Amino acid sequence: MVQAKDWFQVQPGGALRGSTRVPGDKSISHRAVMFGALAQGETHVRDWLPAGDTEASLSAVQQLGVQIDRLSPTELVVHGGKLIAPTAPLDLVNAGTGIRLLAGIMAGQPFPSVLDGSEQLRRRPMNRVIAPLRLMGADIEGDDGRAPLTVRPAHLRGIEYHMPMASAQVKSAVLLAGLFADGPTTVTQPGPARDHTERMLTAMGADLAVTPETATLTPGKALHAINFDVPGDISSAAFLIVAALLMPGSDVTLHNVSLNPTRTGILDALREMGADITVEEMGLQAGDPVGTIRVCHSALRGVRVGGDVVVRMIDEFPVFMVAALAAEGETFVKDAGELRVKETDRLKVMTGELSALGAAITETEDGFYLFGPQQLAGAKVFGHDDHRISMSLVVAGLGASGQTTVLDAECAADSFPGFADTLQRLGADVTIHELAHP
Ligand code: S3P
């Protein structure tokens, strides 16, 4: 059963115009507190993402005895170097990245721990980290392959692991456990999963050798604290990019966004659809190239998406589906079966909720196809406690006729605090209503 709490009220909008920053990158923010906890010294993090998922990782790290000074919601100092046994289970709430990366770290500790989360997180598959960690000798047990995960001290050995899916969370969990192993650990990936772990650990002094397919971590070098300026999250930017593409007259500039090539698949796919998107690279932050993205309203055409680009835009498919509905002709997506094991089964949930707005989409086992353009009609839809579903439905509502209500708006703050305010500042008519049922 979907439990509705706060809701978004969306009026079909006019143009979105202006410039803004988006909140800090979620993947980097999780890693900044975890890696900072492992490093000797003080890790100073600026533009950290204060969102539901990342706050869960921060609390878990604090439960491991790490002092974190909160200079502001987005600026913190992590005093790392020593972890101690937690006195209670670590609650990662809805954060898949939080629980899977921490499982790798906990596997190498000389004390036991339990990693748990919300009902939603407990439904997600954990064998993908349990299996390789066990190959390393870890003593880790799930509840039928799901959280809670019980981890006990064990001697870890280095392994060569061929990941069956291109998952940055799995790759990271194995490499992090590799820090505590007795020899080198190599992970081979079948596709270009995001590489923030490799970039950040290398910057902190880890011995990591990276090729496009592999990452080899040789233990023995202590991590040293460095400072991180977290760039803006391209996954959050994607909602604003698609909204601007859809709404006639729009011209939006997004500053300081991570342009890490393992994350920019959404820009490639949208450009192939005819999107007017200009990118200017401005430097490096937390190991990632960063820059400015300018996007103007564009007539889109359908596109075929499959293969390596899928993992480079994996979190953007819910909002990409909204863009595809506005495009002329067929859009066909394959190789995206991983969407079924995200916070929700995003293929099923998006197809269902967009249908409630009048869309015709055919779901396939590993993707979907649809023919556009399709005019949506405002309705009441559900976010399913999945931030990216909620926000994608808001974007769909902007292009619909009549008012759209998106029940379950709170979850947007799992990755994009201030989402409605940001849209409003750019000219959209989106309001958030709290603590009651409409
Ligand atoms: C993430 C990896 C991806 C992505 C998730 C964040 C990360 O998950 O979908 O939102 O920070 O490592 P998978 O590793 O399951 O593909």
Side-chain angles (χ1 to χ4, degrees):
M1 246 272 308
V2 177
Q3 242 205 334
K5 291 166 275 185
D6 297 357
W7 77 95
F8 288 115
Q9 188 173 302
V10 188
Q11 302 294 347
L16 269 71
R17 299 181 75 85
S19 67
T20 186
R21 287 170 66 118
V22 291
D25 186 88
K26 183 155 82 72
S27 292
I28 295 177
S29 295
H30 279 296
R31 287 162 173 80
V33 287
M34 290 188 203
F35 300 179
L38 296 176
Q40 293 296 336
E42 292 178 6
T43 295
H44 193 149
V45 190
R46 286 189 300 192
D47 294 328
W48 189 76
L49 171 69
D53 279 12
T54 45
E55 294 285 359
S57 282
L58 185 147
S59 301
V61 162
Q62 284 174 322
Q63 267 184 274
L64 292 164
V66 175
Q67 186 192 326
I68 298 185
D69 302 333
R70 207 73 195 251
L71 308 184
S72 78
T74 59
E75 185 170 1
L76 33 100
V77 178
V78 185
H79 301 262
K82 185 166 165 47
L83 305 183
I84 58 170
T87 52
L90 304 172
D91 180 4
L92 280 309
V93 194
N94 279 352
T97 304
I99 195 166
R100 293 195 179 115
L101 269 58
L102 214 48
I105 295 174
M106 290 299 101
Q109 301 310 312
F111 52 77
S113 54
V114 175
L115 305 168
D116 204 357
S118 63
E119 282 306 310
Q120 184 196 82
L121 192 63
R122 283 180 171 200
R123 286 195 291 271
R124 297 183 65 184
M126 293 297 147
N127 273 339
R128 52 182 57 202
V129 289
I130 294 173
L133 292 174
R134 280 194 180 153
L135 288 175
M136 298 178 79
D139 183 347
I140 176 168
E141 217 176 298
D143 176 5
D144 201 14
R146 326 243 150 203
L149 305 176
T150 305
V151 189
R152 296 182 198 88
H155 178 87
L156 300 186
R157 52 185 172 267
I159 57 165
E160 280 187 27
Y161 187 62
H162 292 261
M163 273 196 297
M165 76 294 280
S167 162
Q169 293 175 359
V170 174
K171 173 172 61 173
S172 302
V174 174
L175 293 175
L176 288 165
L179 287 172
F180 306 97
D182 61 7
T185 293
T186 299
V187 181
T188 305
Q189 52 182 7
R194 64 191 67 190
D195 62 359
H196 304 296
T197 294
E198 296 92 304
R199 287 172 187 256
M200 293 170 74
L201 287 181
T202 300
M204 298 173 90
D207 183 351
L208 251 171
V210 175
T211 72
E213 290 82 33
T214 64
T216 300
L217 186 135
T218 305
K221 277 187 138 184
L223 298 185
H224 54 77
I226 60 167
N227 299 335
F228 291 114
D229 284 332
V230 181
D233 197 325
I234 193 163
S235 297
S236 297
F239 300 103
L240 307 179
I241 291 171
V242 172
L245 287 172
L246 258 45
M247 308 312 296
S250 295
D251 183 350
V252 169
T253 300
L254 306 170
H255 295 291
N256 217 54
V257 184
S258 163
L259 300 169
N260 180 316
T262 60
R263 300 286 302 280
T264 48
I266 184 69
L267 301 182
D268 298 344
L270 291 172
R271 278 196 180 123
E272 206 181 325
M273 297 169 85
D276 178 357
I277 297 176
T278 340
V279 172
E280 198 188 339
E281 257 188 55
M282 320 274 277
L284 277 179
Q285 273 179 231
D288 273 8
V290 292
T292 297
I293 299 175
R294 180 173 175 196
V295 48
C296 296
H297 165 69
S298 310
L300 301 178
R301 53 184 180 272
V303 70
R304 295 180 77 82
V305 176
D308 277 359
V309 74
V310 168
V311 65
R312 295 176 50 242
M313 58 182 284
I314 193 68
D315 291 337
E316 285 65 77
F317 278 100
V319 78
F320 173 77
M321 212 185 245
V322 177
L325 284 169
E328 176 83 39
E330 186 190 17
T331 292
F332 184 91
V333 171
K334 61 174 186 165
D335 304 327
E338 273 292 302
L339 292 173
R340 297 204 180 277
V341 290
K342 295 296 177 188
E343 282 81 337
T344 57
D345 176 343
R346 286 180 172 162
L347 288 172
K348 181 168 158 226
V349 168
M350 275 309 285
T351 303
E353 295 303 325
L354 288 171
S355 303
L357 295 172
I361 302 167
T362 305
E363 195 186 330
T364 65
E365 205 180 304
D366 67 345
F368 65 91
Y369 62 91
L370 60 84
F371 296 87
Q374 296 186 28
Q375 175 59 52
L376 303 180
K380 191 190 277 189
V381 285
F382 291 91
H384 296 253
D385 195 24
D386 182 338
H387 50 135
R388 302 207 200 279
I389 301 290
S390 248
M391 291 187 278
S392 299
L393 293 171
V394 167
V395 174
L398 289 174
S401 59
Q403 178 178 303
T404 296
T405 302
V406 183
L407 298 173
D408 207 356
E410 285 170 330
C411 60
D414 278 351
S415 65
F416 197 153
F419 173 65
D421 289 346
T422 304
L423 274 173
Q424 245 169 351
R425 277 200 311 276
L426 294 171
D429 189 351
V430 177
T431 43
I432 187 156
H433 299 255
E434 284 171 9
L435 294 175
H437 214 287

